[in-house]
Structure formats: C-alpha cells, structure tokens
Amino acid sequence: MKKLICAVLSMAFMLTGCLSSNKERAIRFDIKHFPNSLDAQMTMEKESIPILLNTMSGLTKIDETGTAVLDLAKSCQVKNGGREYVFILKDNLKWQDGTPLTSRDFRFALRRVLSPKTHSPYAERYLNIVNAGKVLSGQLSEESLGVTSPDDKTLIIHLNEPDFSFPSLMAQSPALPCNEEFFNSCKGKYGLSPENLLCNGPFYLHSINENLMLLKKNTNSLESAKTEKLYFCTERGNPLDIFLEKRSEACIAPFDEYEKIKDLPKQEIYNRTFAVVINPESEIGKNFTYRKALLGSLFKEDFSGEGKNTEKAQGIVPPSTLFENINYRQNAQAALPSKKLVPAELKQEIQDQISNESKGKLPKTEIYTDNSDINFSIASKIQNIYSTDLSLYINIVPQNPSDFSKKISSKDFEIAICEIKSVQDKPLFYLAPFGDIDVEIDGEFVKIKDILQQSESESNPEKKIELLKKAEQALIDNYYLLPLYHAPTYILSSDNLKDVLYLPSKQAFFFGNAVLNEK
C-alpha cells in the first residue's frame, strides 16, 4: 500500500521513538498501517481517525459520554425551527503556523465536501444543507451553498429540513476546517505529507517515515497537548502484544484476544452490534417477500457462539449504550423478532415469488462480509441455512476492511454482515443511518426518521425510549436487518499514563489531555 509521502527520519530517532524503551517521555500507540492521506474531507480509512482526532479540532466534538458538545465554537444558536445553525467561534483561534483560523476555514471545508471536483465520499451526508444537491451536481456554484461566514467568527449554516443529528455531523472529519490558501498552495498534495497538512488540534504532524509517525505539541492550539510527543507506530506486530511488552502506552484490544488480558486491569465496553443488513435500495431490499424469507429463516439461530465473549444480540442498540445516563437496553428491553416463522412456509413463499418474476430466478444476491474469522464463519452458516431451508445458493464475498467499508457506505451490496455504526454512542444514532427507510406499523407506512424526530421532540424520557424501541422493532419486523451479536471492546492503558480518553463512537484514543508520569 502506498504510504504517506514523508521525510525520512534518522535511525537513532526511530530507535528512541518506538523500538526501544521509552526514554523520551513520549506516548506511543500502534496502528495497523498509516493512512494514504490525512485529507479530512476525503479519507475514509479507519487508521486516519486517531490521527485526525489528535491533530484537528472542529466546531463541535463528541465527548466521552457520546454527546456532541461545543469545541472551537463558543456558542451555537438554532433558529428557524431547526433549519438554521449559527456558530460563533472562540477568540484567538490559530493554525499550527500561527495563521488565524476563521469561519471561512469551516465554510471552505464544507464547500470542498460538496464540490463536484472533490468527489468526496462524504458528500451524501451533507445534502441537507441548502443547495447542496445542486452544487454537487454542478447546477450551482460552490458559493451558492447554504453556508455563509459574514465575519471571521461567525458561521451560518442553512438546512432544508431540521436535523437532530446535525451537531454531531459537524464533529465528523469532513466538517473539520481547511485553510483555502494553504490548500491551494499544496497543488494537489494536501494531506499527503507533514508539509502539506495544516493542523489546529493539540498536536501537529511533525514527520513520518515508513514505520513511525511523530506528532508534537501544538503550542498555537487553544488547548495544546500536555505531553510533548506522541508517536504512532506501525508494522511492529500485534498491537496488543506490543502493549503487553510495555512498548506502547495504550491499546484497544479486540474481543477475540480476551485470554491474553483477562487478568489485567481494563475497561470493557459492549458497544458493538453486528447484524445481517439488507440494502433497502437493492432489488432484494425492495421486495418484502425476499426480505422476509432471507432474514426470517435466520430468526431461530444463535450466532454469538461463533466468537469468544460475544453475546446474542438483544437489539440494534448495544448493551453499553446510555440514554440520559441510564442504560438504554435495560430500559427498552429486547428488540427482537416478534413473529415465529416456519422455514417450509418461507421456502414456498420465496419460490412462489421467484416463479412470478419475469426472469424466474432470485435477483442477483451475494453476502458481503469483512475477512474476519467470526463474520466469515457466520456467513458460511447463513449460506448453509439458505441452501437447506430455502433451496437457495448465495455466494459469499469476503473483503478487506477498506473495500468492505466502501461497499457499505456506497450501498453497493445486497446482503452484508456488518457492524452498525454510530456517530455518537447514543441510541438515537445507532438508528439514524436507517432513517430514510419506510416501515409498516399497524397497517400504516412511516419513515424511521419521523419516529426518531418524534422521540427528539418528546420531553418524557419513558416515551422517548418507547419511540426509540418502536423504531428498532419496526426495522426488525420489516426484515431490513437482523442483529446477530454484541461484541466488547477492551481498553487498556499503562499505569503511568493518566487522563487518556477513549471515545467509543470513534473507537479511538484522545491523547490531548494525557500525562505521562514517572514509573
């Protein structure tokens, strides 16, 4: 894989930075590989998240409770019934080189996302901004986008419709600021090297070589890091093994490596739900009979046994998720299939449907999955169920994480076994990605987002939970997805590292406030 273009560091720097004992008083953290780019408006690589989280700051951020709170904005006014957001920036904001950071930097970032020249994979998320669709299609100029900056400290964003998730949307990487003058000076190389990246977070990207990335304290940041240096290391082996060897200060351990850490102090968060998802825009997804047969035939199965320390799913929202500081899953109870289905009846229904189709066969259907052992094993089990119970043979397509992520985000699939992603660790945001789906409830069709919007408008917490549970149940009963299992994430840090923050929604550490004490 092509690496970020970088300046080569000396061998001595490499040894003291990552490969030897930690004599530099620097924080060290391992990732699988360095991202190809750190262009926040473009990169979708998972490995870019911890780096951008520590080098860039936005108008809002997601805190440790999963809530969107103000960051570089000192205030936010919501006007026009939720269709207008007015952000006022804090005083004395600067980039790493001392250049003033202004509202125009946020305006330019959003224009880049929605420019047809950029081809940003995030553009669809921001189409609720006034004129976004016409700007993206080239019908209107970028200046027509409903984002204005009347002065250096004010950013005004106009929306077509009220959006309860908008503050969290502004905490995502595409909404991070981008200095237009600096961007143009990079001549197409923005985000590809330290000299072509301008940071405003607690750290800035100082240098990288093939296996080592150095972030240094950004003294021009409003809240600069409390530690002078942060190393991201790669290609050193298993990050958990490296942590156990005391060659790194923090680690996120997957649930299938529990045996190695069962006796260590750790934080355990059941914040991941994996499900079989049917793409509602596919030919399969538009047909109720197909959806019912393909997911209804799996209802009786327990797939949690395929992975160590996984739990059988009790709904779309995972067990560790809080709702107003109380556990949502315990209060909402299980959101599970409410109907008992007979495989033989499902087989007959789908065969009748197929015989009525002009082609006389099931539309193209494949099961996409990442290449993890557990999900491939589950896909194989599902493939066998379809063959045995429905007389259908459906091909399995395993993919590497990057390609799989692109498949899911572009909705280029029929059926997939994937993690339900959330921009915040809140019940609402686990359901929000399915907002545009029409579901039938008591003989009437309603969009999921309308139920969620109703929940947001409700003042009674118990009724809020009832509405969220209603949306969960509707997605399952209308056979758009079937939750399979909940999986934990294990969070470990060394005894001498204090005040490191793990953000579940980003599955990454924030090291800006971390302090490395003497051992």
Side-chain angles (χ1 to χ4, degrees), residues 191-216:
L192 297 180
S193 63
E195 61 270 22
N196 288 306
L197 183 67
L198 201 59
C199 303
N200 73 318
F203 295 94
Y204 72 94
L205 180 59
H206 177 269
S207 50
I208 18 176
N209 77 347
E210 189 173 351
N211 304 106
L212 185 66
M213 177 182 291
L214 171 61
L215 275 59
K216 283 191 173 182

Side-chain angles (χ1 to χ4, degrees), residues 6 8 21 32 48 61 67 77 108 114 124-125 141 191 199 243 250 264 302 355 383 429 485 500 502 511:
C6 55
V8 178
S21 61
K32 288 185 178 180
S48 69
K61 64 181 179 181
T67 303
Q77 288 182 291
F108 179 65
L114 290 158
E124 185 176 344
R125 300 184 187 182
S141 68
C199 303
F243 174 81
L264 295 180
D302 180 2
S355 66
Q383 183 186 55
F429 294 99
Y485 66 92
V500 62
Y502 177 74
F511 294 102

Side-chain angles (χ1 to χ4, degrees), residues 260-323:
K260 292 183 179 180
I261 60 174
K262 61 183 179 180
D263 297 325
L264 295 180
K266 57 188 172 297
Q267 183 181 4
E268 180 179 281
I269 305 174
Y270 272 84
N271 64 332
R272 306 177 69 184
T273 298
F274 289 81
V276 183
V277 178
I278 292 182
N279 179 6
E281 298 179 9
S282 67
E283 195 171 351
I284 287 287
K286 293 176 182 177
N287 187 298
F288 178 83
T289 300
Y290 290 147
R291 298 199 312 266
K292 179 182 176 182
L294 293 171
L295 292 189
S297 60
L298 308 177
F299 282 179
K300 66 183 186 301
E301 300 295 330
D302 180 2
F303 295 94
S304 61
E306 301 296 322
K308 295 180 180 178
N309 303 307
T310 59
E311 296 179 353
K312 184 174 182 179
Q314 296 297 304
I316 299 170
V317 179
S320 293
T321 304
L322 299 180
F323 173 82

Side-chain angles (χ1 to χ4, degrees), residues 34-78:
F34 294 147
N36 292 326
S37 169
L38 287 173
D39 181 344
Q41 282 74 53
M42 286 295 294
T43 181
M44 294 193 75
E45 293 176 273
K46 182 179 179 181
E47 285 72 22
S48 69
I49 294 173
I51 302 166
L52 289 172
L53 181 63
N54 286 280
T55 58
M56 299 292 291
S57 298
L59 292 169
T60 62
K61 64 181 179 181
I62 306 301
D63 68 9
E64 62 271 27
T65 70
T67 303
V69 297
L70 297 179
D71 191 2
L72 297 187
K74 68 178 180 181
S75 69
C76 174
Q77 288 182 291
V78 184

Side-chain angles (χ1 to χ4, degrees), residues 470-482:
K470 182 179 181 180
E472 268 193 294
Q473 195 68 59
L475 285 166
I476 294 169
D477 287 346
N478 282 260
Y479 309 105
Y480 283 106
L481 77 163
L482 177 66

Side-chain angles (χ1 to χ4, degrees), residues 161-296:
E161 299 293 338
D163 182 3
F164 53 77
S165 67
F166 191 72
S168 65
L169 194 64
M170 295 305 292
Q172 295 187 38
S173 64
L176 292 171
C178 182
N179 183 281
E180 184 173 9
E181 183 178 354
F182 180 83
F183 175 83
N184 290 333
S185 72
C186 295
K187 297 179 180 179
K189 297 181 180 180
Y190 179 73
L192 297 180
S193 63
E195 61 270 22
N196 288 306
L197 183 67
L198 201 59
C199 303
N200 73 318
F203 295 94
Y204 72 94
L205 180 59
H206 177 269
S207 50
I208 18 176
N209 77 347
E210 189 173 351
N211 304 106
L212 185 66
M213 177 182 291
L214 171 61
L215 275 59
K216 283 191 173 182
K217 178 177 181 177
N218 180 10
T219 56
N220 281 318
S221 173
L222 203 61
E223 296 183 7
S224 59
K226 295 182 179 179
T227 301
E228 292 293 330
K229 295 179 181 180
L230 168 61
Y231 289 111
F232 283 96
C233 310
T234 187
E235 298 181 8
R236 297 202 296 166
N238 185 334
L240 177 56
D241 291 338
I242 291 167
F243 174 81
L244 296 175
E245 294 166 4
K246 302 186 184 302
R247 293 194 290 138
S248 68
E249 277 61 54
C251 179
I252 304 168
F255 57 87
D256 56 356
E257 297 207 67
Y258 174 76
E259 290 300 319
K260 292 183 179 180
I261 60 174
K262 61 183 179 180
D263 297 325
L264 295 180
K266 57 188 172 297
Q267 183 181 4
E268 180 179 281
I269 305 174
Y270 272 84
N271 64 332
R272 306 177 69 184
T273 298
F274 289 81
V276 183
V277 178
I278 292 182
N279 179 6
E281 298 179 9
S282 67
E283 195 171 351
I284 287 287
K286 293 176 182 177
N287 187 298
F288 178 83
T289 300
Y290 290 147
R291 298 199 312 266
K292 179 182 176 182
L294 293 171
L295 292 189

